[in-house]
């Protein structure tokens, strides 16, 4: 399995690890993040992972996630009973809890009353899991099945009014089953419960920290790269920027970053990236900026179909990058800013394999002459990447940058992309971002941007009739970017943005606010 082979930090940094066994639950990554928030290193593995591998890893604890199935059904995901006999503490959550009971001789059935949402749970304080937790505590429930009978040797350690077994345990064997989801923030004391498990039950010391990650990674990169050359495609996004910062700290000018300005970046973004990583910036590396705007606009002329636009933008990137790589000549390593969710979502780590075409995990580009791929952020979650970025001295505005798609404004302009339309959407977006920041909303909204509709309509400006474009403003709240709700932004702020855009951006005479959630919409506006 890829992650094991490449997992750099588990060897050097921390020899205590908790693993999450994924049964397809939607919160699989959250579980691992919560464990890491307790300063314990954690990785996710599919339930299909061989037990021999788990034994070999010798984790300090194992957490079984939730999942969409019923454990008593044929072909439902399961695991070998032996897992519970290794002497390693196991915590089962939701489906994981039911499965533990089912395998060990308890009974799971369809619940007479389904529980969904915030629920008051009554806990037994004698349980190590609930040490220092309030007697009645709000937890997040989401289940159709319930544990109707606990397995022999277990005791009930929490209940709700509808659920007789909200938690059960066999403390002697360090086996714990919890029906609710401590990993979800709605479970008010959930992080404390996970901390109770990883420290209290598993005995982890909790020494995993980001500053040591940077230090240790620098050491490992130096060892791996030696005096070799590394090439990195820098997009100016958080991941590739932090990868650049880390590699620069480790190997300085042995690193060359190629930054392709495709003319579809946000206003002034190309210059901002150059200011940080270029010759006048603080990082020791070779920086090559390719101003390919005209090339892209020429290729995109007359193209209106969104997928075709994406394809052209992607292919053109390869072509430009390839030309630059040829000038540089053979390199030893091609660096990529892959992060842990990319690994998991590509089906290499956990079970919920949502394969995103824009995540190039494991697929080696064949257009550059290199020997090996290097992915220094492969084990990190996004918030950890950000912490590492700050450690490395990358400016906050870059580290906390809004997510921005690879094809850039190309997919925020409906219909044909032209230099003129790019200017309009860049200017409108800059105003929108400025006002969102002024209103103090820039850190709380998941993603927000302006897009250019392909609609032109009649308006009046002064005494003149106009026939101009409509700008769409989008702002969404989202946890995982798979689903999203339109954000409730203040109407006054929208009015300010509207009037500024109409006054300051030539070519726009209407402004819309997009209310669509995802599904049925997508977050992007293409
Ligand atoms: P959608 O529009 O699919 O977007 O709801 C979900 C998230 O993914 C981002 N996105 C992309 N990111 N390349 C990227 O790097 C892409 O082609 C791409 N398309 C969408 C989008 O900005 C949002 O955060």
């Amino acid at each position: 399995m890829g992650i094991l082979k490449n997992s750099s930090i588990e060897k050097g940094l921390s020899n205590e690890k908790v693993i999450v066994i994924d049964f397809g639950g939607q919160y699989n990554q959250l579980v691992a993040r919560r464990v890491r928030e307790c300063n314990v290193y954690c990785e996710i593995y599919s339930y299909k992972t061989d037990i021999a591998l788990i034994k070999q890893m010798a984790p300090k604890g194992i957490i079984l996630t939730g999942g969409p199935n019923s454990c008593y059904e044929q072909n439902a995901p399961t695991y070998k009973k032996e897992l519970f006999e290794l002497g390693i503490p196991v915590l089962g959550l939701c489906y994981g809890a039911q499965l533990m009971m089912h395998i060990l001789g308890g009974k799971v059935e369809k619940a007479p009353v389904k529980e969904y949402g915030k629920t008051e749970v009554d806990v037994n304080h004698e349980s190590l899991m609930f040490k220092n937790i309030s007697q009645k505590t709000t937890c997040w429930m989401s289940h159709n099945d319930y544990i109707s009978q606990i397995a022999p040797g277990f005791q009930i350690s929490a209940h709700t009014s509808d659920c007789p077994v909200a938690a059960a345990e066999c403390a002697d064997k360090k086996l714990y089953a919890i029906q609710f989801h401590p990993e979800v923030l709605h479970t008010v004391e959930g992080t404390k419960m996970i901390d109770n498990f990883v420290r209290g039950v598993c005995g982890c010391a909790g020494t995993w920290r980001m500053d040591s990650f940077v230090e240790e990674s620098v050491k490992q990169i130096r060892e791996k790269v030696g005096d070799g050359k590394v090439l990195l495609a820098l997009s100016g996004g958080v991941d590739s920027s932090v990868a650049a910062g880390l590699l620069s700290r480790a190997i300085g000018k042995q690193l060359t970053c190629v930054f392709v300005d495709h003319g579809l970046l946000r206003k002034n973004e190309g210059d901002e990236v150059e200011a940080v990583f270029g010759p006048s910036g603080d990082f020791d590396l070779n920086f090559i900026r390719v101003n390919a705007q005209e090339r892209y606009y020429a290729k995109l002329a007359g193209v209106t179909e969104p997928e075709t636009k994406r394809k052209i933008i992607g292919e053109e990137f390869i072509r430009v990058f390839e030309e630059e790589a040829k000038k540089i000549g053979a390199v030893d390593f091609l660096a990529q800013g892959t992060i842990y969710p990319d690994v998991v979502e590509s089906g290499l780590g956990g079970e919920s394999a949502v394969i995103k075409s824009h995540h190039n995990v494991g697929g080696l580009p064949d257009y550059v002459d290199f020997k090996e791929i290097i992915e220094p952020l492969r084990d990190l979650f996004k918030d950890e990447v950000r912490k590492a970025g700050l450690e490395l001295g990358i400016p906050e505005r870059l580290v906390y940058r809004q997510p921005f798609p690879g094809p850039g404004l190309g997919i925020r302009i409906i219909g044909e992309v032209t230099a003129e339309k790019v200017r309009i959407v860049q200017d409108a977006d800059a105003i929108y971002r400025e006002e969102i920041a002024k209103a103090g909303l820039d850190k709380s909204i998941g993603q927000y941007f302006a897009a250019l509709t392909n609609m032109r309509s009649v308006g009046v400006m002064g005494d003149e009739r106009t026939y101009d474009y409509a700008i769409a403003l989008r702002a969404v709240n989202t946890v995982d970017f798979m689903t999203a709700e339109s954000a409730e932004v203040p109407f006054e702020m929208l009015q300010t943005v509207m009037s500024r855009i109409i006054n300051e951006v030539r070519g726009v005479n209407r402004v819309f606010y997009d209310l669509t959630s995802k599904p049925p919409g997508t977050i992007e506006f293409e």
Side-chain angles (χ1 to χ4, degrees):
M1 183 170 293
I3 37 177
L4 253 194
K5 200 172 59 200
N6 286 287
S7 187
S8 47
I9 34 189
E10 60 152 334
K11 292 178 219 117
L13 238 193
S14 169
N15 47 19
E16 60 180 27
K17 169 163 83 173
V18 164
I19 63 166
V20 168
I21 298 188
D22 184 9
F23 290 91
Q26 55 180 326
Y27 305 128
N28 59 1
Q29 293 190 30
L30 268 184
V31 178
R33 279 180 54 185
R34 295 280 170 264
V35 173
R36 290 195 192 183
E37 278 167 21
C38 302
N39 299 319
V40 172
Y41 186 64
C42 183
E43 283 176 349
I44 305 170
Y45 291 89
S46 160
Y47 72 91
K48 292 175 190 145
T49 305
D50 198 320
I51 194 151
L53 193 61
I54 291 177
K55 282 197 217 164
Q56 186 196 326
M57 283 189 271
K60 296 278 278 186
I62 298 170
I63 303 181
L64 314 180
T65 73
N69 302 78
S70 287
C71 64
Y72 45 79
E73 274 170 4
Q74 240 188 347
N75 301 326
T78 186
Y79 208 88
K80 283 193 172 144
K81 191 176 177 190
E82 196 189 336
L83 186 77
F84 304 100
E85 293 160 357
L86 299 175
I88 301 172
V90 183
L91 168 63
L93 304 177
C94 197
Y95 182 82
Q98 296 168 0
L99 188 68
M100 182 189 287
M101 289 300 123
H102 180 71
I103 292 175
L104 297 177
K107 198 164 181 197
V108 176
E109 293 177 276
K110 190 146 280 324
V113 184
K114 288 183 198 169
E115 278 185 313
Y116 182 80
K118 290 182 189 171
T119 311
E120 195 176 78
V121 175
D122 212 316
V123 306
N124 178 350
H125 277 133
E126 274 162 36
S127 164
L128 276 182
M129 278 305 303
F130 300 123
K131 197 173 157 200
N132 297 327
I133 302 288
S134 319
Q135 179 69 57
K136 288 185 193 299
T137 183
T138 303
C139 300
W140 185 256
M141 282 284 190
S142 169
H143 63 118
N144 298 329
D145 291 338
Y146 83 128
I147 299 163
S148 56
Q149 200 184 311
I150 53 176
F154 276 75
Q155 280 186 335
I156 295 175
S157 52
H159 67 274
T160 73
S161 54
D162 288 319
C163 182
V165 188
E169 63 187 50
C170 174
D172 290 348
K173 294 189 176 158
K174 299 193 174 173
L175 302 178
Y176 295 83
I178 293 188
Q179 180 57 72
F180 53 86
H181 290 276
E183 70 277 23
V184 173
L185 284 179
H186 300 300
T187 297
V188 179
E189 297 177 279
T191 304
K192 224 194 265 177
M193 294 174 196
I194 291 188
D195 194 77
N196 281 344
F197 179 68
V198 296
R199 288 169 192 265
V201 176
C202 304
C204 293
T207 49
W208 149 255
R209 291 211 166 67
M210 283 323 294
D211 50 353
S212 35
F213 167 79
V214 169
E215 217 175 281
E216 195 60 36
S217 292
V218 163
K219 235 191 272 166
Q220 286 169 2
I221 292 168
R222 281 185 187 144
E223 249 167 52
K224 182 167 181 166
V225 172
D227 56 6
K229 279 210 248 176
V230 180
L231 179 63
L232 170 74
L234 178 67
S235 69
V238 181
D239 305 340
S240 66
S241 296
V242 175
L246 192 56
L247 286 159
S248 155
R249 168 89 56 101
I251 54 166
K253 291 237 162 21
Q254 286 164 258
L255 169 70
T256 299
C257 292
V258 173
F259 167 58
V260 177
D261 185 342
H262 50 23
L264 302 166
L265 298 168
R266 284 166 294 193
K267 192 172 182 175
N268 300 330
E269 200 165 22
D271 296 342
E272 280 168 21
V273 172
E274 184 168 349
V276 174
F277 293 104
S280 54
D282 291 335
F283 291 92
D284 183 28
L285 49 84
N286 297 304
F287 178 82
I288 299 173
R289 174 173 177 170
V290 190
N291 287 313
Q293 294 92 330
E294 298 310 324
R295 272 178 79 153
Y296 276 84
Y297 298 156
K299 286 273 173 195
L300 289 166
V303 182
T304 56
E305 209 275 316
E307 256 327 287
T308 317
K309 288 199 287 190
R310 279 173 178 271
K311 236 193 188 144
I312 292 174
I313 297 167
E315 277 168 11
E316 202 53 21
F317 174 80
I318 292 177
R319 218 140 293 144
V320 175
F321 191 64
E322 183 178 44
E323 281 170 24
E324 288 311 310
K326 273 204 187 115
K327 289 185 205 159
I328 295 164
V331 293
D332 302 282
F333 296 90
L334 181 71
Q336 289 190 333
T338 315
I339 69 171
Y340 197 47
D342 302 338
V343 175
V344 175
E345 283 164 17
S346 299
L348 296 178
E351 194 42 41
S352 8
V354 182
I355 302 188
K356 289 192 183 167
S357 60
H358 53 268
H359 287 145
N360 193 20
V361 181
L364 305 185
D366 56 6
Y367 48 87
V368 176
D369 188 2
F370 70 97
K371 290 189 205 128
E372 213 180 313
I373 210 116
I374 182 167
E375 296 174 313
L377 309 176
R378 201 183 158 91
D379 298 320
L380 300 189
F381 284 111
K382 196 79 174 187
D383 47 343
E384 296 170 331
V385 173
R386 292 201 163 106
K387 278 189 203 153
L390 294 177
E391 284 284 321
L392 288 160
I394 296 172
E396 264 197 40
R397 62 170 195 287
L398 236 167
V399 165
Y400 287 103
R401 208 181 81 135
Q402 278 279 296
F404 188 63
L409 300 179
I411 58 167
R412 291 183 183 171
I413 292 171
I414 308 279
E416 186 188 9
V417 175
T418 64
E420 169 71 357
K421 283 178 163 180
V422 169
R423 179 208 39 95
I424 293 177
V425 77
Q426 275 181 339
D427 287 349
D429 183 67
I431 291 171
Y432 187 36
R433 280 193 285 145
E434 204 180 304
E435 293 300 328
I436 290 251
K438 255 195 230 165
L441 298 169
D442 50 335
K443 296 239 165 75
S444 58
I445 301 176
Q447 192 169 359
Y448 55 91
F449 55 85
L452 186 62
T453 72
N454 206 19
M455 187 197 95
R456 292 172 81 192
S457 65
V458 172
V460 275
M461 285 258 248
D463 292 330
E464 271 180 47
R465 181 182 179 280
T466 56
Y467 187 60
D468 283 334
Y469 284 108
I471 279 283
L473 303 177
R474 186 108 171 99
V476 294
N477 290 323
T478 174
V479 179
D480 52 10
F481 295 89
M482 312 254 185
T483 61
E485 294 291 335
S486 142
E488 256 186 66
V489 292
F491 190 65
E492 223 171 283
M493 191 270 297
L494 286 177
Q495 276 181 313
T496 310
V497 175
M498 177 274 295
S499 83
R500 280 195 59 195
I501 289 178
I502 287 173
N503 286 320
E504 296 171 36
V505 186
R506 210 173 2 96
V508 179
N509 67 357
R510 269 173 217 272
V511 176
F512 299 149
Y513 185 65
D514 184 355
L515 287 175
T516 322
S517 48
K518 172 183 179 177
T522 55
I523 293 176
E524 288 299 338
F525 198 100
E526 58 183 312

